[in-house]
Structures are given as structure tokens and as C-alpha cells.
Amino acid sequence: MARQVPLVRHRNIGLMAHIDAGKTTTTERILFYTGVSHRLGEVHDGSAIMDWMAQEQERGITITSAATTCFWKDTRINIIDTPGHVDFTIEVERSLRVLDGVIAVFCAVGGVQPQSETVWRQADRYGVPRIAFINKMDRVGANHQRCVEMMTARLGCRPILMQLPIGSEDKFEGVVDLIGRQALRFEDLSKGMQVQASEVPAELIEQVEAARLEVVEAACEFDDELMERYLGGEDLTADEIRRGLRKGVLAAAIVPVYLGSAFKNKGIQPLLDAVIEFMPCPLDVAAITATDPKGNQVPVPADDNAPLAALAFKLMTDPYVGQLTFLRIYSGSLKSGDTVYNATTQKSERIGRLLKMHANQREEVKEVYAGDIVAAVGLKTASTGDSLCSPSHPLVLESLFVPEPVMGLSIRPATKALAEKLGLALARLAAEDPSFRVNSDEETGQTVIRGMGELHLEIIVDRLKREFKVEAEVGAPQVAYREAITQSAEAEGRYIKQSGGRGQYGHCKISVAPGEPGSGYVFKDKIVGGVIPKEYIPAVEKGAKDACEKGVLAGFPLVDIEVTLFDGSYHEVDSNERAFFIAASMALKDACRKAGMQLLEPVMKLEVTTPDDFLGDVMGDLSSRRGRVQSLDTRPGAQVVNATVPLSNMFGYATDLRSATQGRATFSMEFSHYDPMPASLAQEVMEKVRAEREARRQGLAA
């Protein structure tokens, strides 16, 4: 079967933003105007097509990224609508890993909010070109110019206004297209189906010409021919201006900015035009690189006739077809029934069926090509980040960044009969969501689930009950503390055991030193003269790492540590890998105790928007939670408090804030960094952890 749409007319885009900026509403309008849906889905009444999960419809937020396909002016647009809540940041991460372009949605009132910055940095990580849509221009307090200034200051980007508003707030009528010098209004009752072009209002002409000059100059910067003609006094055509701007967007040097109100059906059609005009097709994006079996870096061209190279970026359990594996096809083609090689797990698997997804609706296809985003049925061992390729051309693609969870809950089945079912359900959920982890405490047998925040874990428990029919009891939230050393130290570990016959002998000397923040565990081998044979050194490294993972102070992972092996000895008969593993673990613990240890706690970045009347109450409450106010911004009728607060003091904050401000204040929170805890509080945490473990141990013994 031949490709139906040329690759040059493909766009793989996503929508990203802070929570409640209007991503899903914007996506719903795109689906309506492109003819995919015949009704306007709304988030507030639970009828949004892209928010199909029961939990999404109840809460009015996006939890999982949803993919769909639509057509606009003969161009195929694959769209992924991503969550805005920080607890579901992995959904944004994995989507950006496979997308070619992004629409960043901003609220005209809120401007650049904390999660806007987070998703922008994620897009920076993958070098994804962007256009911006300033939404909610009809709201009281809407200020597009302020939003543009915040984009420059906070995101470090170069926004280029492509439109000016006609009217403001509740009098917002439409926009002026700067390139075409025409006013655009969106008619046809309340659905905005018809775009009516007319002359620019007289009172805006001067402002439009000044703003258009900036657009033209930006276009010329990226095209030498246009620059030469512009400096020569020639007028540039609209198509030429767009050509120059496109080069700037593809280089991620500029961000065209569009205005509108998705809820009021204004501004969506010009945004779709901008996707076609400025967003890259798979051929415009630099070929990604992969690693071949010899360790060489090789380019992966967007070519249907090249060997298959695809990345599994998302797993989802479908109640009707089983496990779906979402794939981005970078190179080659794939048919139902094909055998593919998983270069990550080094196993071969057969593709059962291929599906084009429209939220939770499925359309079966027989063959897919380079640039496509599809779901495959039948893959049993593939997980997020795995590379699928042709068996004759194994390639490993770059995987994706997965954030570390910061919160945990103990969990157990409501009845013993549900124990096995709970284990299987948790394993399925962990396979779907790499930022969700399941751990068992070896000493007590307790199961602990870890995630990105309260809401993340709340949704997990809710899904256990609804989707997997497993009733579970959960304990109090647990903060993911970390341990760290404060200075350098040395120690040696000896493990010598004689039990008749062959014994055990392992001896090593190590030094430890504090590492750079975020460096994790670093091991250095400085053995000279073969005092420890090379075959035992990996066991030393694993033994020290295992001790770090189990912790020294109170059982929390030990991070940001540099371990150096510099001396030791061995026995020709009794030495083995296990002996050196144990010796290294003993040495690491001893060295850390000498180095002085401290407990680290996760600190959250918090933004609270409150009416002026309640500012004092909000500030006082933050102070009682050991919060540190970083800045205070003024918005019309409201104050925005930016602060950092330890996560351990933020449980139940949503309820407390609602009570203190009569439900009128809002907040957003995301992980910032780890900080040393005050000694007195650290002591309390350690004593509590030890008491809980002892109680569970005695309970098991009984």
C-alpha cells in the first residue's frame, strides 16, 4: 500500500502549557474546525473528546497524553494533547521526545506560569521548534503584551507577535493579521466557523504598521536574499516573509505568537494555518542519531525505504484490545504481522495489529511509514524508551529523560485474596508510567508506591479500583528523602569467612567525597599493580552502589557521592565476586559514617495567586510551613507569591488555602531541588522511620 499523504505534508505537533491555560479546549476546537468531530467538546462539562478517562472528566484536567489525527488544507496533522499538571510531567516528556513541533499555550491573564517554564525547558531539552498561542484574550485582565514580555524574561526566547487584538477583554472581536494587513473576525453564530477578512480598523493602522515592521525584520534575519532586497528598499511579499520566518522557527530562534480565545471560538483557524506554514515536517528536522551494535553513531533519515527505526514512547492498557504500545516511526515502514527486533531488550517480537488512535477510539491500518505515530498491538516485552528496528539492522535510539519520584505511599490489598491481583495491577501501571515506581521493603515486606505528587498517587489508587477492580488500603503520604555525606573520608572493608573447604575473601579500601548536586553515584577505579584483579572490580562497584541505594542513616537512598577504589588485596583461592561485593558494601557504610551524613528533603517551587485581601493570611501560612518567599508580583486585583517550600509541609495545602481565602486563591507546585534538613527535624524523621520499621517487623514476627 502506497503512502497516501507525502511526507512534506505531515506535521507531528503537541500542545503544552500550564494547567488551565486551555490546551484541551484549543485541541477540541482544532478537531471541530478540521471536521474530525461534529460537536464542540468542553472540559468543564466532561464532554471533551481528548479527556476520555473518567478521572479526567471528573476533575476537568488532562492526566494522560492523548493522540489524534486531523487534516487541514491537505496537510496531515498528528496531535498530542499533553497534561499541564506537574504530577504528570512524564506525559509531556515522552510526547516532546517524539514530536517535531509544539504549540505552547499561554493564558492571557496568567502569562508565563511555573509549569509553562517547566514544559518550555523540556522542549529545550529536545530542541523542538515552537509557536505560541495566547489564549483567553476575552478574559478580564487579559494582556497579551505583558505575556510576550514574560516570555522574553522568563523563557529566554524571542517571541514575534504575528497578530494584534481587535478589542480587549469582553470586547475582544478578532485579530489583525500583520503579514496580510487584514482584520480577521470569526462569524457564524457562536461557533466561529467563518473567518471574515476586512480592512484594518483606522485606529489600529499606525500600531499595525509598527508591529509589522518587526515581523518583516525578523524574517529577513534568516534569509540573506530577503535581507538584501529589504535593505534595497523593496517590498517583500507575504509568502517571502513567511519563508524567512519559517527558517527562524525551524532553527528554534524565534517563536511566532498568535492570539485568540479557544472557548469563544476565536483565532483557531489562523493557528492551524501557522502550523502548516511554520511547523516542520519530518524532512525538515535534523536526522536523529542511533547507536549500532559496534557503538558507532549513525543517522536515521526520514525515509520510507530505509530500514525500520521506531521508538516506543508510551504504553497504555486498552480494555478491548489489551496493551497498546505507541510508536513513532522515524525511518522505514511497518506492516501488521511484521517481526521487529527490540534492540534495547535484544528480543524479537511480532506486530499483531497497527492502530491510528483518536483519543481512545481506534482505526486499524495495515501499514505505516516514516513520520507516523501509531499504536501497536501484540508487543509483550516492549517498554517505554525501547528501540524497535529491522532484525537485519539493529539500532538503539536515544531514550527519554525520566524524573525521579518525590512522594510515596504504603499500599496493601484490602483482603489477602487480592494480593496477587494487586501485584499484577501495579506492575501494569508501572510499565505504563516510568515516573511511577513500586518498591518492596525487604525487611518488612511492605509495598511502597512512589510518584510525582499527591494527585499522581491519588489517580493511581483510583485506577486500581476502577480499571483493575482491586480495593487497596493506603498509608499516610511519605516524602522521598535522600541521604548525603558532608565531607571526604576513607575506610576499608574486609569480608573473610571460613566454613570448611573453600572460604570467602574480599578486601578493599575506598574513599568517598561529596559529588556535584544531581550527580548521583560516581565510581572511580584507581587500582594499580593488580592488587585487586580486574574481574572483581565490577563487584566492588556494585556492592558500593547497592549500599548507597539502601542508605546508611535511615534507609533512604544516598545521592551525590563520588566513590574511589584505591587499594585492597585478594586470595588466589578464596576470593570471589560475592566476597568483594560484601566487602565494598561494608567499606562504603563505614566511610560514610566517618564523612558525616545529613538528610536531604525535596523542596518545591510554589506559585500562589491570591486576591489582595488574603495576601497576609497566605504569607503567614507559608511562613508556618518553612516557606521562603522569592518574589511578589502584582496582577489586576490579585497578588502572585513565588516561594520555595519543603514538600513535607505541603500535605493538605489545597484544602487549607481554600479555607483561608474563601476558595478564591489558586496555586501550582513543582519539584525544585533537594536541600539539607534542619538537624532537629532530621532526627525526628529518622526516629519515626526506625519506629515504623520496628513495628512492622514485630507485626510480621507475630
Side-chain angles (χ1 to χ4, degrees), residues 205-512:
I205 290 177
E206 188 176 334
Q207 191 180 349
V208 166
E209 289 306 312
R212 188 178 190 276
L213 190 61
E214 291 186 26
V215 175
V216 175
E217 289 177 350
C220 292
E221 286 183 38
F222 302 97
D223 191 305
D224 292 341
E225 180 195 338
L226 295 182
M227 177 64 81
E228 190 175 327
R229 289 174 51 200
Y230 174 69
L231 293 176
E234 289 187 46
D235 286 332
L236 304 180
T237 66
D239 286 342
E240 288 171 335
I241 295 170
R242 293 188 184 99
R243 185 184 80 197
L245 291 172
R246 179 177 173 80
K247 290 181 179 179
V249 174
L250 296 185
I254 59 172
V255 181
V257 179
Y258 289 80
L259 312 176
S261 169
F263 184 61
K264 294 293 179 65
N265 311 304
K266 292 181 172 70
I268 302 301
Q269 294 94 328
L271 183 65
L272 281 166
D273 290 339
V275 167
I276 295 173
E277 291 162 358
F278 301 126
M279 289 282 92
C281 73
L283 294 170
D284 294 321
V285 181
I288 65 166
T289 56
T291 307
D292 67 13
K294 296 180 181 178
N296 300 318
Q297 295 293 304
V298 295
V300 179
D303 182 354
D304 296 345
N305 299 314
L308 174 69
L311 183 75
F313 68 94
K314 177 180 170 73
L315 268 61
M316 187 178 90
T317 302
D318 188 293
Y320 301 103
V321 297
Q323 181 171 288
L324 296 175
T325 305
F326 283 76
L327 304 175
R328 162 70 195 260
I329 312 296
Y330 283 100
S331 180
S333 60
L334 184 63
K335 296 178 183 176
S336 312
D338 279 359
T339 297
V340 296
Y341 179 69
N342 187 328
T344 308
T345 62
Q346 299 183 354
K347 293 180 180 178
S348 294
E349 289 201 73
R350 184 176 174 275
I351 300 287
R353 295 158 61 198
L354 293 170
L355 306 172
K356 285 287 177 72
M357 298 299 293
H358 176 49
N360 64 334
Q361 303 298 313
R362 302 163 297 279
E363 174 195 344
E364 187 161 355
V365 292
K366 295 300 181 187
E367 187 170 6
V368 292
Y369 305 91
D372 283 344
I373 293 176
V374 296
V377 181
L379 296 174
K380 295 176 182 175
T381 63
S383 58
T384 301
D386 284 2
S387 301
L388 303 181
C389 53
S390 166
S392 59
H393 290 83
L395 292 172
V396 177
L397 303 172
E398 180 190 355
S399 191
L400 63 154
F401 171 80
V402 179
E404 285 294 315
V406 296
M407 186 179 292
L409 287 174
S410 61
I411 189 169
R412 64 180 183 182
T415 64
K416 287 187 177 180
L418 290 172
E420 184 178 352
K421 200 172 180 182
L422 175 65
L424 292 172
L426 289 175
R428 292 269 287 277
L429 290 170
E432 285 184 23
D433 183 353
S435 65
F436 170 65
R437 314 281 171 84
V438 183
N439 303 105
S440 294
D441 189 312
E442 293 179 5
E443 294 181 26
T444 64
Q446 185 185 42
T447 300
V448 177
I449 58 175
R450 302 191 186 280
M452 301 305 297
E454 280 185 282
L455 182 60
H456 188 194
L457 295 177
E458 182 186 320
I459 296 296
I460 291 288
V461 174
D462 194 36
R463 289 186 64 192
L464 283 173
K465 293 176 182 177
R466 295 197 195 197
E467 293 177 33
F468 298 95
K469 312 301 180 192
V470 178
E471 289 290 334
E473 298 173 0
V474 296
Q478 302 171 358
V479 176
Y481 295 106
R482 297 287 185 265
E483 299 176 9
I485 58 174
T486 58
Q487 58 192 34
S488 301
E490 294 182 0
E492 66 177 318
R494 289 178 182 270
Y495 181 68
I496 302 173
K497 189 175 181 182
Q498 294 293 338
S499 56
R502 188 169 179 175
Q504 302 271 336
Y505 185 94
H507 173 220
C508 60
K509 294 182 180 181
I510 66 170
S511 65
V512 296

Side-chain angles (χ1 to χ4, degrees), residues 525-594:
D525 170 22
K526 292 194 175 177
I527 290 294
V528 292
V531 292
I532 296 178
K534 287 184 178 179
E535 61 264 30
Y536 298 139
I537 289 173
V540 174
E541 181 179 355
K542 288 178 185 175
K545 187 174 184 181
D546 182 71
C548 287
E549 289 172 353
K550 292 179 178 177
V552 178
L553 261 183
F556 298 112
L558 182 60
V559 296
D560 303 337
I561 183 171
E562 190 176 286
V563 180
T564 303
L565 172 65
F566 64 89
D567 200 2
S569 62
Y570 73 103
H571 189 280
E572 289 187 0
V573 176
D574 292 347
S575 285
N576 55 41
E577 290 183 352
R578 174 169 169 74
F580 274 100
F581 180 95
I582 297 172
S585 178
M586 295 165 59
L588 189 282
K589 292 176 181 177
D590 191 22
C592 288
R593 292 189 187 101
K594 292 179 183 177

Side-chain angles (χ1 to χ4, degrees), residues 88-244:
F88 310 107
T89 187
I90 186 63
E91 294 291 333
V92 183
E93 189 76 36
R94 60 168 139 215
S95 299
L96 290 173
R97 171 64 182 82
V98 299
L99 292 171
D100 299 326
V102 172
I103 300 173
V105 182
F106 298 95
C107 172
V109 180
V112 178
Q113 297 166 284
Q115 190 64 6
S116 307
E117 295 184 55
T118 301
V119 295
W120 196 271
R121 288 195 300 271
Q122 289 175 296
D124 283 341
R125 183 181 292 129
Y126 299 111
V128 183
R130 278 146 272 185
I131 58 179
F133 179 60
I134 299 179
N135 191 25
K136 303 189 180 183
M137 287 294 294
D138 60 310
R139 288 264 307 273
V140 174
N143 187 335
H144 71 284
Q145 198 58 52
R146 175 178 167 275
C147 189
V148 168
E149 290 167 2
M150 291 177 76
M151 289 175 66
T152 305
R154 293 193 179 184
L155 306 178
C157 68
R158 184 183 171 190
I160 305 294
L161 261 177
M162 305 298 292
Q163 299 171 333
L164 290 182
I166 302 173
S168 61
E169 299 182 345
D170 60 338
K171 304 241 178 353
F172 176 65
E173 297 177 24
V175 296
V176 175
D177 171 26
L178 295 177
I179 294 180
R181 287 192 179 103
Q182 56 183 355
L184 304 177
R185 290 179 175 84
F186 306 89
E187 307 296 340
D188 188 20
L189 299 177
S190 63
K191 295 183 179 179
M193 290 292 288
Q194 300 297 322
V195 182
Q196 300 290 345
S198 60
E199 295 291 321
V200 176
E203 67 273 15
L204 290 177
I205 290 177
E206 188 176 334
Q207 191 180 349
V208 166
E209 289 306 312
R212 188 178 190 276
L213 190 61
E214 291 186 26
V215 175
V216 175
E217 289 177 350
C220 292
E221 286 183 38
F222 302 97
D223 191 305
D224 292 341
E225 180 195 338
L226 295 182
M227 177 64 81
E228 190 175 327
R229 289 174 51 200
Y230 174 69
L231 293 176
E234 289 187 46
D235 286 332
L236 304 180
T237 66
D239 286 342
E240 288 171 335
I241 295 170
R242 293 188 184 99
R243 185 184 80 197

